[in-house]
Amino acid sequence: LTGFQNLDPYYTVQRGEWTLVTGIPGHGKSTMLDQLIVNLVKRNQWKIGIFSPENNPHAVHFGKLCAKWVEKPLRGSARGVMTNDEYEGGLKEINEHFFKYSAEECSLDTILHECRQLVYRHGVDAFVIDPWNMVDHEYDYRMPETEYISRSINKIRKFCADFNVHLWLVAHPTKLVPRTRKVDGVEQEYYLPPKPYSIHGSAHWMNKGDNCFTVHKSLDLDRITEIHIDKIRQQSDTGKLGKCYLYFRKDDETFHDSSEMGA
């Protein structure tokens, strides 16, 4: 289970599968995914490998994970901040369960090689690649991009199946659909939630994904984030298509079931 009662009926994390995560920049897909993996570690004692060059430096990213673990902010807040003991205890857990590979300009083959080593050395259970556009995409110019993406997804699927692990891949959309509406007489532009087909390069993202979900800020409800589940390959085991809502608490950047926050 994901640690979110609102999300569990739609999406659960299965070994041997991979999940595509997308969303408009700034809508919280990386932050929500960080919350999800912290939940999994707290519930199941999983170990997580992370390739996330946008979340550098290493110490800052682990500090954000620590805030999610303790569920208190590192700095001043009306709710107060975590104590030194809470910080040290949380950071100890983060360092024991999370393994970050921070090198930039790495090919997918190099990243998956490092992932294999983490399985062998530390028994890592799941991995994050965030985002896809920071992977060094080296391929023959004669190969169509769609073919390259298809082969890359095949490598990811094989890796997950061979090592019985889960992998989340974050990919930014490029084909955003703008809309306008009037709010109090003022014209306002907004974007529809992107779909996996909105990701640059290929429909293979949707067609070959085991699971796909989109993280999207609610247009009308403050601090409410919509999770759109666009694909579940094994619906009998993993979940179902649909939408749920999570509440984002800004001071510690944590996500919670919206019902817990009175939303």
Side-chain angles (χ1 to χ4, degrees), residues 203-240:
H204 290 309
W205 292 117
M206 180 66 161
N207 298 337
K208 289 194 168 188
D210 289 325
N211 313 287
C212 306
F213 68 78
T214 299
V215 178
H216 191 74
K217 286 182 182 178
S218 172
L219 190 62
D220 299 307
L221 299 174
D222 185 39
R223 299 191 184 179
I224 295 296
T225 295
E226 303 168 359
I227 310 298
H228 296 255
I229 294 82
D230 301 309
K231 182 176 183 181
I232 299 290
R233 185 179 296 279
Q234 302 292 341
Q235 295 193 25
S236 61
D237 299 320
T238 306
K240 61 183 179 181

Side-chain angles (χ1 to χ4, degrees), residues 20 174-175 194-207:
L20 177 71
T174 58
K175 305 166 188 174
K195 299 291 185 182
Y197 287 122
S198 305
I199 299 170
H200 177 74
S202 176
H204 290 309
W205 292 117
M206 180 66 161
N207 298 337

Side-chain angles (χ1 to χ4, degrees), residues 27 29 48 72 79 82 91 94 122 134 138 156 170 179 189 191 199 218 226 238 242 248:
H27 277 234
K29 53 187 177 294
I48 311 287
K72 287 185 180 179
R79 295 189 306 111
M82 67 179 77
L91 199 58
I94 297 302
H122 302 287
M134 292 294 286
E138 296 179 347
I156 290 170
V170 178
R179 293 287 188 272
E189 185 176 84
Y191 291 97
I199 299 170
S218 172
E226 303 168 359
T238 306
F248 177 66

Side-chain angles (χ1 to χ4, degrees), residues 14 28-29 38 42 45 55 62 75 79 95 135 139 141 171 184 188 192 202 219:
Q14 303 294 325
K29 53 187 177 294
V38 166
K42 292 179 82 168
Q45 294 299 299
N55 267 315
F62 272 30
R75 298 175 184 82
R79 295 189 306 111
N95 280 303
V135 175
Y139 60 96
Y141 70 92
D184 297 329
Q188 180 187 75
L192 297 177
S202 176
L219 190 62

Side-chain angles (χ1 to χ4, degrees), residues 169-183:
L169 176 67
V170 178
H172 299 309
T174 58
K175 305 166 188 174
L176 298 178
V177 181
R179 293 287 188 272
T180 59
R181 66 174 189 167
K182 283 191 176 181
V183 179

